[in-house]
Amino acid sequence: PTSLFLCAFYILISFRLEFEETEDPDFTTLCQKLKLPNRVRKEAWENWEKVSSMDGVLEYDIQKKKELWGICIFTAAIDLDEMPFTFTELQKNIDISVHKFYHLLREIDTSTKVDSTVSRLMKKYDVLFALYDKLERISSEINSMLVLKVSWILFLLAKGEILQMEDDLVISFQLMLCVLDYFIKLSPPAVLNEPYKTAVSTSSINGSPRTPRRGQNRSARIARQPETDTRVIEVLCKEHECNIDEVKNVYLKNFLPFLKSLGISASNGLPEVENLSRQYEEIYLKNKDMDARLFLDHDKTLQADSIYSFEVERTPRKNHPDEEMPLIPPQTPVRAVMNTIQQLVMILNSASDQPSENLNSYFNNCTVNPKESILKRVENIGRIFKEKFAEAVGQGCAEIGSQRYKLGVRLYYRVMESMLKSEEERLSIHNFSKLLNDKIFHTSLLACAVEVVMATYGRNTYQSHDSGTDLSFPWILNVLDLKAFDFYKVIESFIKAEASLTREMIKHLERCEHRIMESLAWQSDSPLFDLIKQSKEREGSVDHLLEPTSTLNMPLQHNHTAADLYLSPVRSPKKKGSTARINSTSSAEPQTTPASQTQKAPKSTSLSLFYKKVYRLAYLRLNTLCSRLLSDHPELEHIIWTLFQHTLQNEYELMRDRHLDQIMMCSMYGICKVKNIDLKFKIIVTAYKDLTHAIQETFKRVLIREGQYDSIIVFYNLVFMQKLKTNILQYASNRPPTLSPIPHIPRSPYKFSSSPLRVPGGNIYISPLKSPYKFSEGLPTPTKMTPRSRILVSIGESFGTSEKFQKINQMVCSSDRLLKRSAEGSNPPKPLKKLRFDIEGSDEADGSLNDFCCLSLASTRTRMQKQKMNDSMDTSSKEEK
């Protein structure tokens, strides 16, 4: 045994010495500082070798190399689940800010595991950055900078202990107000500014009988202010536009029990900073992320870099000292979110938690009164929602979930009444029994209302990262066990029925609709496939089963309603505005058709509209990708679209548990192969990655067969090409398939006429001049402008100092070097530094799988001249996210 041990030890030492001989000494030193295990170190060096194979990387100076080494170490540690260091320790050792780390990481292809980890890290950073900025401002306002350090650390500790979902900006801010309330009460009134001074003085006076000031010590004065006194917190809520009921709930149900668990009492005075810091350190080391205490030191690792962010002045300055200008509250990220919430709350304050008289009138007019089942459903879903919300956010936050659900119920009844009123005016009928007794309709409508509320609260001003919070769509679908295809049916009608929806919320619902069309509706358990199967059996042919291609170039009509979609098929193939539609809303049960009836059943309205929208979304994305990659071959776009459309209509099973964009990229690659256009898959993927909606998982993790996933190139070789080989080869024959019509692309029915217009070929947007104030429900509220949107230039008015223009120029110029974005109509973009599907340097398929284009095409196999990459080209184009 001893000899075996010595032999193994000798082999290990020999391997380590041999490995270190191949390493850069500085890399070895970095690994030692971070105490990397050999396995992580080896994986990190292999990552670096792949990255350094790119042109020019080895010529970088030592600092740039250290940054890339750090990224390679980070990705290796995440992939291998061995993280011996914290993220802050890594930052310190390679001297890099959070923003720079994130942008450099995006230049390197990484696993979905790394992507997910970094996305969560960045969202947490964004929330902490916004909250610390807010805390500094508030501390300055109340003249209490002395307790900034202890209040920030206590807040971090409370946030880590109370919240499971640490990227919830609203609840985190509400918790911060509770911390501020605690420390304001500990402060002598004389050192506070108004209105906090009066609030503390009033609490002291009302807490107990007044005693002479000279004889009262500080601890006695504090003891007379009960912890349940909410005068100060009411002032904080008013000053910062927070819902007082929600904050009181956080204060009583979460914050006070937290203080008690730490043994902290107001009567003991200020808690010891060192003790709080030690407890926070345990959370920080356990999470292995960033040390948020460094915000107190304005540490450069946590500061926003002007090159990577759009930090500008939040409050406009006057052009001249004598010039009058209305004061605009600073639009910090927190204030922007609070303004949006306040608008929603104001709208729903007048609404009821119960059906209104008008709704009850509609219920009473039904053949079968639906009121009892509606109320019972709302109650049952409320219990489920409260439970699931607490599981996601924290068990102490269940009542917060109930409050948000209550707002959703108010919106649900409000929109339902508006929908029914519109249908009544359109059809001149009063009996909506079938629709109002449809469980799926009600669940979808309630889900949409709650999603609007959740998205309003969950809206993060920093929308720069791939995914949302744990409560983001489609979380609500999972909670309500609702299918995405059923939810899609209500979205457009909901937007039409609720005129007070903000621009941001309309865009959010449109993004939800796009996610459904691109992937969620195509999941295996979706009712979409059964609907397609029924239509196929009814039509007898797939050629016109979904939507005739002849209608693609016709404008999309938006005159359908929720009743049309939830009660379809209701449309007569011969006549519109039919009696069938009226009857479908007036009866309690569906009208059954005898099997012997020879008349063809009407086409499904919901399926037809769904496919029309899918086609338009698909073509819009293809058009964007073609403009970036195939500007020299514009004729190919129509051919690629024909294959793309054919696949969606005739080979729709390929979409099962897959993504629309996967079919798009495979269609582009297949046509370019058969047309001898040298466009590599890695170039397609790199360009796709820059689309505003794209996430890396779309091309990194594609279903191959049941339970097996791989990269998109493997899917193309083993699945897509095998299924469509014959069809693709036809495009190289003398008799190619007839080209599909290009879909008519109208303005989105959801967008406002005042939407910013993009200048072609650049990163410039022209937006109508916005008033500092807007009127919502008769009350003036500040226009929702974030630090990013404030940089818009308005022609015809004074912009300010030249430094602002220099900042714009700096950001535009740096986008070439940092973001590698390609301008529309330019050469293909530079590929990622490392693509995991590019196994052993092979971009193409292996062996016979790659030879399908050679069947009858040997004479045309000569490739076109290799595409030249021009690193200095203008690649500043980037669509606004």
Side-chain angles (χ1 to χ4, degrees):
T2 304
S3 59
L4 285 175
F5 172 77
L6 291 174
C7 185
F9 180 74
Y10 173 77
I11 292 172
L12 179 63
I13 293 297
S14 300
F15 169 77
R16 182 164 183 175
L17 290 173
E18 180 182 351
F19 180 58
E20 288 187 358
E21 286 177 1
T22 64
E23 285 184 346
D24 187 298
D26 292 316
F27 178 83
T28 302
T29 302
L30 179 60
C31 291
Q32 291 171 347
K33 287 182 178 178
L34 294 171
K35 301 177 182 177
L36 287 191
N38 285 334
R39 195 163 73 110
V40 176
R41 181 171 165 179
K42 182 175 182 293
E43 177 81 6
W45 183 253
E46 289 174 356
N47 288 348
W48 164 248
E49 287 180 326
K50 294 174 184 176
V51 170
S52 63
S53 65
M54 298 297 295
D55 293 340
V57 173
L58 291 176
E59 299 173 6
Y60 288 163
D61 59 33
I62 185 61
Q63 175 55 31
K64 186 64 178 289
K65 283 184 179 179
K66 281 180 67 176
E67 292 168 354
L68 291 175
W69 287 338
I71 288 173
C72 292
I73 289 171
F74 179 81
T75 57
I78 295 296
D79 285 332
L80 296 175
D81 283 321
E82 288 190 57
M83 183 78 84
F85 52 85
T86 67
F87 181 67
T88 294
E89 288 172 344
L90 178 64
Q91 284 184 279
K92 291 287 188 180
N93 277 282
I94 62 176
D95 193 23
I96 194 172
S97 69
V98 174
H99 278 288
K100 189 173 184 181
F101 184 92
Y102 175 72
H103 284 283
L104 285 177
L105 186 72
R106 283 180 61 85
E107 293 185 11
I108 300 175
D109 185 62
T110 55
S111 67
T112 54
K113 188 176 181 181
V114 172
D115 294 340
S116 177
T117 301
V118 173
S119 178
R120 287 196 303 271
L121 188 68
M122 289 303 297
K123 285 183 290 182
K124 182 175 181 178
Y125 167 78
D126 286 343
V127 169
L128 288 171
F129 185 91
L131 290 173
Y132 182 76
D133 177 72
K134 189 70 174 178
L135 180 63
E136 274 196 326
R137 290 167 179 269
I138 296 175
S139 297
S140 176
E141 290 170 4
I142 65 178
N143 196 22
S144 187
M145 296 297 287
L146 295 176
V147 296
L148 176 63
K149 182 175 182 179
V150 67
S151 61
W152 176 243
I153 296 177
L154 181 62
F155 163 71
L156 293 176
L157 191 57
K159 184 172 179 289
E161 291 289 344
I162 295 172
L163 298 182
Q164 293 170 204
M165 195 179 72
E166 293 192 272
D167 55 0
D168 190 303
L169 180 62
V170 175
I171 299 180
S172 296
F173 180 60
Q174 292 171 343
L175 189 59
M176 179 181 283
L177 293 184
C178 296
V179 173
L180 284 167
D181 169 85
Y182 174 76
F183 285 109
I184 289 173
K185 287 178 180 177
L186 290 177
S187 302
V191 304
L192 298 174
N193 291 334
E194 294 293 355
Y196 307 102
K197 181 177 182 178
T198 301
V200 170
S201 300
T202 304
S203 297
S204 300
I205 293 170
N206 294 340
S208 65
R210 297 189 65 175
T211 59
R213 190 76 175 174
R214 187 184 301 269
Q216 108 185 26
N217 61 40
R218 187 164 182 265
S219 60
R221 188 170 68 252
I222 293 169
R224 284 195 297 275
Q225 296 181 30
E227 290 178 333
T228 54
D229 189 306
T230 59
R231 289 179 178 83
V232 174
I233 212 163
E234 287 170 4
V235 172
L236 283 166
C237 289
K238 182 179 180 181
E239 289 294 305
H240 302 286
E241 300 180 339
C242 260
N243 185 297
I244 182 60
D245 293 330
E246 293 182 4
V247 179
K248 280 183 178 179
N249 184 277
V250 173
Y251 182 79
L252 297 173
K253 298 289 181 64
N254 298 98
F255 185 65
L256 290 183
F258 163 73
L259 291 179
K260 187 176 181 180
S261 70
L262 294 182
I264 295 176
S265 172
S267 60
N268 297 330
L270 287 174
E272 291 185 7
V273 176
E274 292 74 14
N275 183 38
L276 295 177
S277 187
R278 278 195 303 271
Q279 294 183 66
Y280 170 75
E281 178 119 4
E282 293 178 8
I283 296 176
Y284 155 62
L285 293 175
K286 179 182 177 181
N287 294 336
K288 295 188 180 299
D289 54 14
M290 65 190 72
D291 186 351
R293 291 171 297 184
L294 295 178
F295 280 109
L296 291 163
D297 304 324
H298 295 278
D299 192 281
K300 62 181 181 180
T301 60
L302 295 180
Q303 294 309 300
D305 192 320
S306 60
I307 297 178
Y308 300 98
S309 64
F310 288 79
E311 282 296 309
V312 294
E313 294 179 40
R314 295 186 174 94
T315 307
R317 297 181 183 274
K318 297 180 180 180
N319 291 333
H320 301 288
D322 299 330
E323 191 175 324
E324 289 297 324
M325 179 181 286
L327 289 177
I328 303 174
Q331 283 294 305
T332 63
V334 176
R335 183 178 287 275
V337 174
M338 293 304 161
N339 283 344
T340 306
I341 293 171
Q342 197 66 18
Q343 288 184 17
L344 179 68
V345 171
M346 282 195 302
I347 292 168
L348 297 179
N349 270 345
S350 59
S352 173
D353 301 336
Q354 298 293 320
S356 65
E357 289 186 11
N358 287 338
L359 264 183
N360 281 318
S361 175
Y362 285 121
F363 296 161
N364 293 332
N365 287 332
C366 291
T367 307
V368 176
N369 193 315
K371 182 175 180 179
E372 185 178 346
S373 63
I374 289 173
L375 294 176
K376 187 175 180 180
R377 186 181 301 110
V378 168
E379 182 182 355
N380 291 339
I381 290 177
R383 283 196 296 267
I384 296 171
F385 181 88
K386 180 179 179 180
E387 177 185 335
K388 296 296 183 182
F389 185 91
E391 288 177 6
V393 181
Q395 290 302 321
C397 300
E399 288 306 316
I400 298 175
S402 292
Q403 289 171 334
R404 295 187 186 180
Y405 180 74
K406 185 177 179 181
L407 289 175
V409 170
R410 291 179 178 183
L411 185 58
Y412 161 69
Y413 286 134
R414 175 184 166 108
V415 173
M416 189 197 308
E417 182 176 335
S418 176
M419 282 183 175
L420 294 175
K421 184 177 180 181
S422 177
E423 281 287 87
E424 182 180 33
E425 293 173 353
R426 185 172 70 96
L427 300 174
S428 300
I429 61 171
H430 309 284
N431 186 348
F432 297 100
S433 188
K434 186 177 179 183
L435 178 66
L436 291 177
N437 281 280
D438 189 295
K439 176 184 176 182
I440 295 177
F441 162 71
H442 282 290
T443 307
S444 302
L445 183 60
L446 180 56
C448 196
V450 174
E451 174 60 27
V452 166
V453 173
M454 297 298 290
T456 301
Y457 276 86
R459 177 176 169 266
N460 194 333
T461 303
Y462 297 101
Q463 297 282 351
S464 58
H465 312 307
D466 291 341
S467 57
T469 67
D470 293 341
L471 302 180
S472 297
F473 185 82
W475 179 81
I476 190 65
L477 302 186
N478 299 326
V479 170
L480 273 60
D481 193 23
L482 179 65
K483 302 304 180 186
F485 182 75
D486 291 324
F487 182 82
Y488 127 84
K489 299 175 187 177
V490 83
I491 294 175
E492 189 171 326
S493 296
F494 190 99
I495 293 172
K496 291 176 182 176
E498 184 48 72
S500 65
L501 288 178
T502 63
R503 175 199 298 253
E504 287 80 5
M505 209 42 57
I506 291 174
K507 287 183 177 180
H508 171 75
L509 290 177
E510 185 177 24
R511 284 192 294 269
C512 293
E513 186 180 61
H514 287 178
R515 287 195 62 188
I516 292 170
M517 292 190 290
E518 71 188 15
S519 62
L520 296 178
W522 301 97
Q523 293 173 349
S524 286
D525 59 351
S526 172
L528 173 62
F529 290 100
D530 288 337
L531 198 54
I532 293 175
K533 183 180 178 182
Q534 293 167 12
S535 297
K536 182 178 178 181
E537 292 171 350
R538 182 179 65 247
E539 297 289 333
S541 169
V542 297
D543 291 340
H544 300 290
L545 125 81
L546 306 170
E547 190 60 31
T549 55
S550 58
T551 66
L552 284 177
N553 55 3
M554 297 173 60
L556 183 62
Q557 301 298 318
H558 296 279
N559 54 1
H560 42 268
T561 67
D564 296 335
L565 301 184
Y566 283 95
L567 304 178
S568 70
V570 296
R571 185 182 66 192
S572 169
K574 296 181 180 179
K575 212 172 183 180
K576 290 186 178 181
S578 61
T579 307
R581 178 181 290 168
I582 298 175
N583 289 340
S584 70
T585 61
S586 60
S587 60
E589 299 297 332
Q591 298 288 333
T592 56
T593 305
S596 59
Q597 188 170 334
T598 57
Q599 182 181 354
K600 182 182 287 189
K603 184 179 293 187
S604 167
T605 303
S606 60
L607 181 61
S608 175
L609 178 65
F610 178 78
Y611 253 86
K612 285 179 179 178
K613 288 190 171 187
V614 167
Y615 283 153
R616 281 155 178 79
L617 178 65
Y619 176 73
L620 203 58
R621 292 183 177 179
L622 176 64
N623 175 259
T624 302
L625 201 58
C626 285
S627 68
R628 299 184 179 197
L629 295 173
L630 296 171
S631 58
D632 294 337
H633 306 279
E635 73 284 356
L636 291 184
E637 180 184 298
H638 205 161
I639 300 173
I640 297 168
W641 164 245
T642 301
L643 174 61
F644 192 8
Q645 187 273 327
H646 166 84
T647 306
L648 293 174
Q649 177 168 292
N650 297 280
E651 304 294 346
Y652 50 84
E653 280 293 331
L654 284 176
M655 280 293 297
R656 189 182 290 270
D657 293 323
R658 297 192 180 98
H659 195 287
L660 182 70
D661 296 348
Q662 293 163 356
I663 306 300
M664 173 182 69
M665 287 185 276
C666 288
S667 298
M668 175 175 283
Y669 183 74
I671 293 299
C672 287
K673 286 287 285 185
V674 86
K675 292 293 185 179
N676 287 313
I677 303 299
D678 187 18
L679 181 64
K680 295 184 182 297
F681 230 126
K682 63 174 66 175
I683 300 295
I684 296 175
V685 164
T686 304
Y688 171 77
K689 189 180 176 184
D690 283 344
L691 300 185
T692 57
H693 69 280
I695 59 173
Q696 296 194 43
E697 188 173 1
T698 304
F699 56 83
K700 290 180 180 177
R701 190 173 186 271
V702 188
L703 178 67
I704 306 302
R705 56 181 63 91
E706 186 176 355
Q708 180 186 347
Y709 293 83
D710 213 311
S711 69
I712 192 168
I713 188 69
V714 176
F715 166 71
Y716 174 83
N717 291 331
L718 298 183
V719 182
F720 185 87
M721 182 269 287
Q722 300 295 336
K723 190 75 173 178
L724 291 159
K725 181 190 301 183
T726 303
N727 185 271
I728 294 173
L729 288 173
Q730 290 176 1
Y731 292 96
S733 68
N734 294 328
R735 300 181 62 185
T738 303
L739 298 180
S740 299
I742 298 295
H744 176 79
I745 306 296
R747 285 181 64 89
S748 167
Y750 308 137
K751 285 188 172 65
F752 296 96
S753 58
S754 57
S755 297
L757 301 177
R758 185 172 179 273
V759 177
N763 193 29
I764 305 296
Y765 290 78
I766 300 175
S767 179
L769 180 62
K770 297 180 180 180
S771 167
Y773 286 83
K774 67 179 293 184
F775 286 83
S776 175
E777 299 289 311
L779 297 174
T781 59
T783 302
K784 296 186 296 301
M785 292 191 69
T786 65
R788 293 173 185 242
S789 63
R790 280 194 181 278
I791 205 162
L792 293 175
V793 181
S794 172
I795 305 299
E797 72 172 279
S798 233
F799 184 74
T801 62
S802 61
E803 284 77 14
K804 292 186 178 179
F805 285 112
Q806 290 172 2
K807 184 167 289 187
I808 294 174
N809 289 335
Q810 183 184 30
M811 288 186 297
V812 173
C813 293
S814 66
S815 64
D816 294 352
R817 176 170 55 85
L818 300 167
L819 303 180
K820 307 290 186 186
R821 300 296 164 104
S822 56
E824 291 183 5
S826 67
N827 291 331
K830 189 173 182 178
L832 297 170
K833 290 184 177 175
K834 177 168 68 72
L835 285 168
R836 288 184 175 264
F837 65 70
D838 187 10
I839 304 299
E840 298 181 359
S842 172
D843 176 72
E844 315 299 340
D846 294 327
S848 59
L849 291 176
N850 191 40
D851 293 336
F852 80 94
C853 288
C854 297
L855 306 175
S856 76
L857 294 176
S859 62
T860 59
R861 183 146 177 85
T862 304
R863 290 183 177 274
M864 299 181 67
Q865 183 180 6
K866 199 170 186 179
Q867 294 165 322
K868 296 181 179 179
M869 309 304 299
N870 183 0
D871 292 336
S872 62
M873 66 185 177
D874 179 10
T875 59
S876 61
S877 173
K878 176 187 175 189
E879 291 188 29
E880 197 174 52
K881 288 195 176 186

